[in-house]
Amino acid sequence: MANENLNDAKEWLSFAEADLGVATHLLATYNPKPLEIVCFHCQQAAEKAVKALIVLHGSQGGITIMQIF
């Protein structure tokens, strides 16, 4: 079970990294900067990173964000 959680968490983290990569690419290559799209991808990256933590620590039992940090 723990190994499955680790694999799932790594997958969620890779999704977060992909969103962050898109945001970085947009900032580096577009002019004018599409800030609303960049912010969207940053927010998505943050949510997916938190999801990775929740999956890693187990989503059963009403875990809260305060218990993770």
Side-chain angles (χ1 to χ4, degrees):
M1 184 70 160
N3 193 30
E4 181 180 323
N5 286 355
L6 180 59
N7 290 336
D8 289 346
K10 284 180 179 180
E11 186 173 20
W12 276 106
L13 196 54
S14 73
F15 296 151
E17 290 170 343
D19 272 315
L20 192 55
V22 170
T24 302
H25 172 76
L26 291 172
L27 274 176
T29 59
Y30 281 72
N31 201 2
K33 307 293 183 201
L35 296 179
E36 67 282 355
I37 299 170
V38 170
C39 290
F40 170 78
H41 283 286
C42 289
Q43 180 265 334
Q44 287 292 298
E47 280 192 22
K48 290 170 186 172
V50 170
K51 174 75 173 185
L53 287 171
I54 291 169
V55 167
L56 181 63
H57 292 283
S59 59
Q60 302 297 323
I63 190 169
T64 67
I65 198 68
M66 295 308 291
Q67 291 170 312
I68 293 173
F69 296 105

